[in-house]
Amino acid sequence: MRVLVVIASLLGTLAAPGAAAQGPADAASAPPTHRPLRDNRPATGPQPAPPEKFAGIAGAPAYTVVPRTPALALYPCSQCHKLLPLNPQPRQLDAAPHNAALRHGGGRFWCLDCHTAKDRDQLHAIDGTPVGFDQSDRLCGQCHGPRQRDWAFGGHGKRVGRWQGERRIYACTHCHDPHQPQLAPRAPAPPPPVRAGLQPTPTVHSTPTKPWQRQEGKPHE
């Protein structure tokens, strides 16, 4: 018994002066010694700004886009869709008369992401702004900004007519199918034929003379 009393007294001296022993309940109610990282986020974040309207590529030469709608066999789209009920549910289009394979964006897009639901003769931007089929480059530039910049400056795409004067360029959808924009591999065109009777120009190798070796009135080699 005397040994137990001595051990108890020693344990009491090791405890902090004036501090009582804490049990499990007291430890749970004690204030935390640190703050979790998720609580260090700012109280208020930046306020979202309204989307800016597309005003063209800064510094690009002036251009006009060749209209696309005259080449669309099924345009206007409303000639058929005005007779069909609106079904916004994404699904496989098995009986559609146009290309039903939507391989744009790895399956992340649906028709109504670009086409206006209530007016099928119009497209729409991300913010809902109506965009005509002849201005489809504005839709493409929302995701493909660097390509749109190269297209506006003339490094991508095709120009119609001369290289001088008014710039008339094809839109993105003239070359790329909007439902499957990746171009299929193509074999290069064969080289032009050599005209009969032409002989290759012989290559002449001449040794240049030093300035002090040239004579007056003698043609230089």
Side-chain angles (χ1 to χ4, degrees):
M1 180 63 69
R2 182 177 180 83
V3 176
L4 296 176
V5 173
V6 173
I7 294 176
S9 62
L10 290 175
L11 293 176
T13 57
L14 292 177
Q22 294 184 356
D26 297 335
S29 60
T33 57
H34 67 280
R35 185 172 58 180
L37 292 177
R38 64 176 59 92
D39 294 339
N40 292 334
R41 65 186 64 179
T44 57
Q47 297 298 326
E52 298 181 359
K53 301 297 182 181
F54 180 75
I57 305 297
Y63 61 86
T64 57
V65 182
V66 178
R68 176 64 177 153
T69 50
L72 299 178
L74 299 178
Y75 188 85
C77 306
S78 59
Q79 62 185 350
C80 295
H81 281 276
K82 65 181 179 181
L83 305 175
L84 301 175
L86 176 61
N87 184 3
Q89 180 65 32
R91 63 196 184 279
Q92 178 66 32
L93 301 178
D94 296 325
H98 44 70
N99 184 12
L102 186 58
R103 298 186 179 94
H104 194 165
R108 293 185 293 269
F109 288 112
W110 168 241
C111 304
L112 299 183
D113 292 334
C114 296
H115 294 266
T116 304
K118 296 183 179 180
D119 186 1
R120 293 305 176 90
D121 297 335
Q122 290 284 334
L123 304 171
H124 68 86
I126 296 177
D127 61 352
T129 303
V131 177
F133 274 66
D134 292 334
Q135 292 82 34
S136 58
D137 56 280
R138 300 186 180 183
L139 263 69
C140 303
Q142 296 178 124
C143 299
H144 306 280
R147 279 288 179 264
Q148 185 189 35
R149 178 195 58 202
D150 297 342
W151 170 80
F153 277 93
H156 185 85
K158 184 178 180 180
R159 179 171 178 171
V160 182
R162 301 180 179 181
W163 290 103
Q164 296 181 351
E166 179 188 4
R167 288 185 66 211
R168 299 181 67 247
I169 55 180
Y170 283 125
C172 309
T173 53
H174 277 92
C175 301
H176 298 270
D177 184 348
H179 302 126
Q180 188 175 354
Q182 186 175 4
L183 297 179
R186 293 175 293 179
V194 178
R195 293 177 57 187
L198 294 181
Q199 298 296 331
T201 303
T203 303
V204 178
H205 299 280
S206 60
T207 303
T209 57
K210 302 295 188 296
W212 58 83
Q213 296 176 343
R214 299 173 185 170
Q215 299 179 4
E216 188 70 24
K218 181 180 179 179
H220 298 163
E221 295 181 358

